[in-house]
Amino acid sequence: MNEPLHPQAGVSPDVSHYAQTMGDQSSDAARGLSAEEVAARVEAGLWNREVELKTKSVRELITENLFTVFNLINAVLAVLVLITGSWKNLTFLAIVVLNTSIGVIQALRSKRMVDKLTLLTSKRACAIRDGREVEVELTEIVLDDIVRLGRGDQIPADAVVISGEASVNESLLTGESDLIRKVPGSELMSGSFIDSGTVFARVIHVGADNYVSRINAEAKYVKPVNSEIMRSLQSIVRFAGLFMIPIGLALLWASLSDVYRDAGSPDSTGPFIWALHETLAGRVPARAILSVVGALLGMVPQGLVLLTSSVLAIATVRLARRRVLAQQLHCIETLARVDVLCLDKTGTITSGAMSVSGVFPIEDHMAEPLDQALAALADASQSDANETARALIEYYKDVDRDRNELLRTIPFSSARKYSGVETEAGSFVMGAASFVLSPHMLDQVADRLSELASTARVLIVGRVLGFDDEGVIIGEVEPLGFLCIGDEIRASAQDTIQYFQEQGVELYVISGDDPRTVSSIAKTVGIPHAAELTDASSLSSAAALDTALDRSRIFGRVTPQQKRELVVGLKRRGHTVAMTGDGVNDVLALKEADCSVAMAAGSDAARNVAEIVLVDNDFASMPAVVAEGRRSINNLQRSAALFLTKTLFSMALAALCVLFPPYPFEPIQMTLINFFCIGLPGFVLGLEPNRARVEGHFITNVVRRALPASVAVTVGCCGCLAASHLFGFSDAMASTMCLVSTSAVSVSLIWRISRPFTALRAALMVVVVCGISSGMLFFPTFYSIEPLSLGAGLTLVAISLGSCLLFWKRADVLALRTDHGRRPATGFGRGVRVSLRGRSRKVSSTGSAARQTIQKLFGRARQQASTNKQRKTPAKTGRLSHSPDGIRVRMNKRKKRQDSNL
């Protein structure tokens, strides 16, 4: 911290006249603190220090992203490849480096955003030290300092007014759009602004005790990413990691055992010890090790994480061209999935500025003098305009009128609640009706006043005889009309809100302003259920606030903590929640929401906390963000099927090759498949336009696309391995046959997910086919391709055609299947089943895959037995006979007793 400034540096002349301004305040207050008192407080730690968040260090973040299970697995595989001396098979490490780099960059970016969070924008303040005015840094303010605050100044620390009056704008702190009058004894909250007037105030809180510091402390935490795509990817990697450890060990044992037997079992130590001795002697069983590495590499969808980060990163660039800043990659996906949008009134639906919503004369013939009075008041306010005056000036700036000479200006006073002007055409006053009009005159306009006040803040405008030397009205006021001041609603707000309604998104308005004002504005922009409002200041407990969520969509007088609780309540009800805001009072809710959106013109705190910042402060940019999210999610679902196909068939083949070694693919062959059959088409298809609605769960949609191809590849490879064993083909030839059949099915999958074809997709198909063919024909040694005999070639053609036909049949079957009321929450093995019929949600276990199969077989057997029994057992019906009254039905006694008991 900088040392406090010396009284001689940057000071004004003696300020003993402040003693008169402070009235009956003591001379100590007029003098302020002495240099010795300031030094004592600094030594005691009572200075306005910045409250820092203890975030993780750069070293810790790098360590967390570097030493992961994923990287550990790849490091072990790299060591195994190095042992074999096959450098070309280390190409998979490039993706590992890129994945780790992206993770580190994202972590450092998140840390930087949290560290720079600040709620105070001004950096210097004016304090009274030793009877002189001194300009000091915010961190140089100490407890009990006397600070002078004028129009436009931001309050640097919590303080109490000791002299003067001012109107304070606390909208960024509380959401209240009306100015708050501050008089001696009133508290000033740090982070608010002086709109008009001048006050002297004593600092009562510094550092962590300040209001904004407490908000800062609650907002400064790293929020976990709510991304279904990332959760799905983590589940896939976690499942693959658990699966590959036992399978990898078993496959290594099987492969080494196969090589051990081929070597004639030279000793009795076993395959592992023998392989270790051979390796130390320089005779590494390279093919066995590389086949295991190839199997394990295929199980982890390495490129999928890279593809996801790249697609979302490109989406942020596209949004930046639309003047939308996405500060977190995955917020684009989250916004596309939201089903509840919480809107803050001030700064989101409204611009934050005041505007004249209407001018209404008492009588028609008073319209001209009313305009004349308001134009004169606007001219008189030019030099020191508050929010109301600025709205009036804006309203009359383009109006052609005769300007009357101003003789005297009566500035607005918080005590009088009016302002006035004397011109050559007469004297006029504008202010609160209860302060300006006499009781009997107030009764005459009460009905009209009440009607207008339901939608705006209403000021009375009248003609007066004049003002005395103190600015007090002389005589009785003759009312001319009403001036209605309201929040300026953004031009794009109504269309944007209509868009979200059409998308099925529920809308809530959560504001610190008067609930009636909020409800009126919500009705204006077309928010449904705008009449269902709640005054949060009347709710005394968190339970009452939570209950109000079920009956109201409009909330007013909401504190920052209540805003956060409302967002938490909506998330607890299973919603994905987005929150918009621009003020300090929105920070906690923005931090808690699944996706947070702020206006660039809002507070620093809101911008730094928000994941999306609308740079042009235009709410109409929101649909573009949703469109980018849809494009990213839908394209990633399509591209992810390619990556997951490799993971699934690698697992299946690895399990089979434990019993029938060796594994057919080397790492370099998987690289060829990864690039042309997975990586290249995945990136191209992942960047195409796509505005379709996001439907279903990411993992479910991906598995449905990937499963048919995985089955077809597995069957094709098994066919190639069986034919190789049957006809005596070499292992290298079998590996080549598996590579070709896998490529054929992969091309079929790319063809299917590329329909309908465009010029880009057609070009992609040509590149994929040519790339695979070129790699096999022109680089056979590099990719370990073995020439095929005529018999092997014919066998390969038959197997490849059969595999492709199987893929198309299975894909058609899965495409026709739909879920009716129930859907599994996990895509593999044991999971949970969520029943969504009606309004109830029932969760039960699906059991293991084996248990599900057994239950299905027993269910079919019971159904068949029941059907056979119904066929053999004659139906027991009542006997029919005729009677004079019609047909008589005689039922058996058992049935009659059952009916009588109902």
Side-chain angles (χ1 to χ4, degrees):
M1 187 203 75
N2 298 326
E3 291 297 323
L5 295 176
H6 295 291
Q8 292 79 11
V11 300
S12 67
D14 186 88
V15 289
S16 60
H17 62 278
Y18 291 155
Q20 297 178 359
T21 306
M22 294 181 181
D24 58 358
Q25 295 295 325
S26 66
S27 59
D28 289 341
R31 182 177 58 83
L33 297 177
S34 66
E36 292 76 13
E37 290 171 326
V38 171
R41 283 164 172 76
V42 171
E43 186 176 354
L46 301 177
W47 51 281
N48 199 37
R49 71 183 70 202
E50 294 181 1
V51 181
E52 298 182 355
L53 172 68
K54 294 182 179 179
T55 55
K56 293 180 179 179
S57 66
V58 174
R59 174 185 290 183
E60 289 174 327
L61 293 176
I62 294 176
T63 301
E64 284 184 359
N65 285 274
L66 185 60
F67 298 103
T68 63
V69 175
F70 176 78
N71 287 350
L72 175 62
I73 292 172
N74 282 282
V76 172
L77 297 180
V79 170
L80 292 176
V81 173
L82 286 173
I83 291 174
T84 66
S86 181
W87 298 96
K88 66 180 182 181
N89 285 295
L90 287 173
T91 53
F92 67 91
L93 288 179
I95 296 179
V96 177
V97 173
L98 286 174
N99 283 339
T100 304
S101 300
I102 290 175
V104 171
I105 292 171
Q106 284 298 104
L108 294 178
R109 186 179 183 183
S110 178
K111 170 185 168 60
R112 186 172 63 252
M113 287 177 57
V114 174
D115 287 347
K116 73 180 182 181
L117 177 59
T118 175
L119 304 186
L120 290 172
T121 57
S122 60
K123 301 302 179 185
R124 301 182 72 83
C126 188
I128 309 302
R129 302 271 178 87
D130 287 320
R132 293 178 178 272
E133 184 177 313
V134 183
E135 192 177 62
V136 298
E137 298 286 343
L138 296 189
T139 54
E140 295 173 338
I141 294 174
V142 298
L143 191 67
D144 296 326
D145 247 334
I146 305 299
V147 293
R148 180 179 65 81
L149 301 167
R151 186 171 70 88
D153 289 339
Q154 188 178 28
I155 298 169
D158 294 350
V160 173
V161 177
I162 60 175
S163 177
E165 293 184 6
S167 295
V168 178
N169 184 339
E170 297 180 347
S171 61
L172 288 180
L173 299 178
T174 65
E176 174 65 67
S177 58
D178 291 337
L179 300 177
I180 309 300
R181 180 191 176 198
K182 300 294 183 178
V183 297
S186 300
E187 288 194 15
L188 303 174
M189 291 189 292
S190 53
S192 55
F193 290 86
I194 303 295
D195 183 75
S196 63
T198 300
V199 296
F200 294 88
R202 184 190 302 278
V203 174
I204 59 173
H205 293 144
V206 291
D209 295 330
N210 277 324
Y211 178 79
V212 290
S213 296
R214 296 196 298 270
I215 295 290
N216 222 358
E218 292 187 61
K220 278 189 170 183
Y221 61 91
V222 179
K223 180 174 67 177
V225 176
N226 180 19
S227 168
E228 183 177 338
I229 292 178
M230 286 307 299
R231 288 197 301 270
S232 299
L233 294 181
Q234 290 169 359
S235 299
I236 293 171
V237 173
R238 190 181 304 115
F239 176 79
L242 293 175
F243 185 84
M244 67 192 304
I245 294 175
I247 289 295
L249 292 174
L251 187 59
L252 181 61
W253 172 268
S255 298
L256 291 177
S257 297
D258 193 42
V259 175
Y260 182 68
R261 285 192 298 271
D262 291 342
S265 302
D267 55 41
S268 59
T269 57
F272 272 122
I273 302 299
W274 172 80
L276 179 61
H277 290 161
E278 290 290 298
T279 301
L280 294 176
R283 297 183 296 273
V284 181
R287 187 167 185 81
I289 294 177
L290 290 178
S291 68
V292 174
V293 173
L296 298 181
L297 280 178
M299 296 181 193
V300 182
Q302 296 172 312
L304 186 54
V305 177
L306 179 61
L307 171 66
T308 302
S309 300
S310 301
V311 168
L312 295 178
I314 292 174
T316 63
V317 174
R318 289 180 173 178
L319 289 176
R321 295 173 184 168
R322 297 175 177 265
R323 298 185 63 77
V324 176
L325 174 62
Q327 303 193 104
Q328 293 287 342
L329 291 181
H330 300 287
C331 65
I332 302 172
E333 173 212 347
T334 307
L335 184 59
R337 294 184 183 277
V338 298
D339 57 355
V340 169
L341 176 60
C342 296
L343 301 170
D344 174 53
K345 177 187 73 67
T346 306
T348 301
I349 301 176
T350 65
S351 65
M354 307 299 290
S355 64
V356 176
S357 59
V359 176
F360 304 93
I362 298 292
E363 302 290 345
D364 290 341
H365 68 276
M366 294 182 178
E368 185 175 347
L370 175 60
D371 279 337
Q372 187 180 36
L374 287 172
L377 288 163
D379 291 341
S381 305
Q382 292 283 351
S383 59
D384 187 20
N386 57 19
E387 283 284 345
T388 301
R390 284 194 287 270
L392 190 60
I393 292 169
E394 179 68 20
Y395 187 75
Y396 279 97
K397 69 176 183 179
D398 297 326
V399 177
D400 294 331
R401 53 187 170 81
D402 295 330
R403 296 180 180 272
N404 295 313
E405 183 181 352
L406 301 179
L407 304 177
R408 181 187 176 195
T409 298
I410 309 300
F412 175 81
S413 167
S414 298
R416 293 191 300 260
K417 291 291 185 181
Y418 64 78
S419 61
V421 63
E422 292 181 354
T423 72
E424 59 184 6
S427 300
F428 305 98
V429 66
M430 177 180 68
S434 58
F435 284 77
V436 171
L437 299 179
S438 61
H440 77 276
M441 192 64 72
L442 183 61
D443 290 339
Q444 294 180 17
V445 299
D447 292 341
R448 182 61 171 157
L449 188 66
S450 177
E451 178 186 349
L452 294 174
S454 63
T455 58
R457 184 158 58 93
V458 183
L459 301 175
I460 194 75
V461 181
R463 180 185 287 114
V464 296
L465 296 176
F467 302 89
D468 63 15
D469 294 340
E470 300 297 327
V472 178
I473 297 172
I474 299 175
E476 189 169 6
V477 177
E478 176 193 356
L480 298 175
F482 306 96
L483 174 69
C484 293
I485 301 291
D487 291 291
E488 183 181 67
I489 297 176
R490 296 186 185 275
S492 58
Q494 189 166 359
D495 292 339
T496 307
I497 286 170
Q498 183 179 357
Y499 168 81
F500 280 105
Q501 286 181 245
E502 293 171 353
Q503 305 305 311
V505 178
E506 295 183 26
L507 300 173
Y508 288 77
V509 183
I510 305 174
S511 174
D513 212 341
D514 188 299
R516 293 169 298 178
T517 304
V518 180
S519 176
S520 173
I521 292 175
K523 290 177 184 176
T524 303
V525 297
I527 292 179
H529 312 291
E532 301 171 1
L533 56 93
T534 293
D535 187 343
S537 63
S538 64
L539 304 177
S540 58
S541 65
L545 187 68
D546 188 70
T547 303
L549 268 175
D550 297 324
R551 66 172 185 268
S552 299
R553 296 294 183 86
I554 309 298
F555 292 85
R557 305 290 189 200
V558 186
T559 66
Q561 289 74 18
Q562 286 178 321
K563 280 194 174 188
R564 178 174 58 185
E565 290 303 317
L566 288 171
V567 172
V568 171
L570 289 169
K571 291 171 65 177
R572 190 164 51 242
R573 286 164 170 78
H575 294 294
T576 301
V577 183
M579 174 75 193
T580 67
D582 69 337
V584 174
N585 63 318
D586 303 316
V587 168
L588 300 181
L590 288 171
K591 194 72 176 182
E592 188 62 42
D594 295 306
C595 182
S596 50
V597 182
M599 304 293 173
S603 67
D604 281 356
R607 290 197 303 271
N608 291 335
V609 167
E611 293 156 324
I612 296 174
V613 178
L614 306 182
V615 178
D616 56 0
N617 304 300
D618 190 358
F619 191 43
S621 302
M622 294 282 284
V625 184
V626 174
E628 279 298 327
R630 288 179 173 179
R631 182 192 62 79
S632 300
I633 296 173
N634 289 324
N635 288 344
L636 280 173
Q637 286 183 162
R638 184 169 54 186
S639 300
L642 298 171
F643 291 89
L644 196 58
T645 296
K646 183 194 70 169
T647 297
L648 294 178
F649 81 68
S650 295
M651 290 179 177
L653 278 179
L656 290 172
C657 289
V658 170
L659 301 177
F660 307 102
Y663 188 79
F665 298 112
E666 291 186 14
I668 191 61
Q669 293 174 330
M670 294 303 299
T671 300
L672 181 65
I673 295 174
N674 283 340
F675 183 79
F676 285 107
C677 297
I678 298 174
L680 178 62
F683 273 90
V684 172
L685 297 176
L687 299 177
E688 283 193 312
N690 192 323
R691 290 181 175 267
R693 285 194 182 187
V694 178
E695 297 180 355
H697 291 296
F698 181 83
I699 189 66
T700 305
N701 295 337
V702 172
V703 169
R704 282 183 174 176
R705 285 191 173 103
L707 195 58
S710 303
V711 172
V713 169
T714 304
V715 171
C717 289
C718 289
C720 291
L721 294 174
S724 175
H725 180 74
L726 181 63
F727 299 116
F729 302 146
S730 66
D731 289 345
M733 195 176 293
S735 178
T736 301
M737 293 172 65
C738 289
L739 178 61
V740 173
S741 65
T742 300
S743 300
V745 176
S746 298
V747 170
S748 298
L749 174 60
I750 298 170
W751 182 289
R752 185 178 182 90
I753 65 177
S754 297
R755 297 181 305 174
F757 276 98
T758 61
L760 178 63
R761 295 177 184 180
L764 173 65
M765 286 298 305
V766 173
V767 171
V768 168
V769 173
C770 292
I772 295 174
S773 302
S774 299
M776 293 181 182
L777 294 175
F778 300 119
F779 304 97
T781 304
F782 184 78
Y783 289 110
S784 302
I785 305 297
E786 183 77 9
L788 301 180
S789 62
L790 177 62
L794 295 175
T795 303
L796 175 60
V797 170
I799 293 175
S800 297
L801 291 176
S803 300
C804 292
L805 180 62
L806 175 63
F807 160 71
W808 283 97
K809 291 294 184 181
R810 293 299 303 167
D812 289 338
V813 171
L814 282 182
L816 294 175
R817 291 183 58 185
T818 56
D819 288 329
H820 299 284
R822 291 188 174 187
R823 58 176 180 263
T826 59
F828 307 96
R830 185 184 300 274
V832 295
R833 182 185 294 113
V834 183
S835 176
L836 302 177
R837 291 191 179 99
R839 294 186 177 180
S840 63
R841 293 193 175 197
K842 182 180 179 182
V843 181
S844 58
S845 173
T846 62
S848 64
R851 180 182 175 185
Q852 294 175 43
T853 303
I854 294 172
Q855 288 177 342
K856 188 181 295 185
L857 293 174
F858 274 102
R860 290 178 180 175
R862 285 194 297 268
Q863 183 178 2
Q864 186 64 37
S866 176
T867 302
N868 294 337
K869 184 177 180 181
Q870 290 177 1
R871 290 175 179 174
K872 294 178 181 179
T873 305
K876 295 183 179 180
T877 60
R879 288 177 291 175
L880 303 179
S881 61
H882 291 279
S883 70
D885 298 328
I887 298 177
R888 178 182 298 142
V889 181
R890 184 175 297 171
M891 303 177 65
N892 57 62
K893 294 182 179 180
R894 179 179 298 176
K895 178 65 176 175
K896 191 180 295 184
R897 283 197 301 270
Q898 290 176 349
D899 291 344
S900 65
N901 291 332
L902 295 177

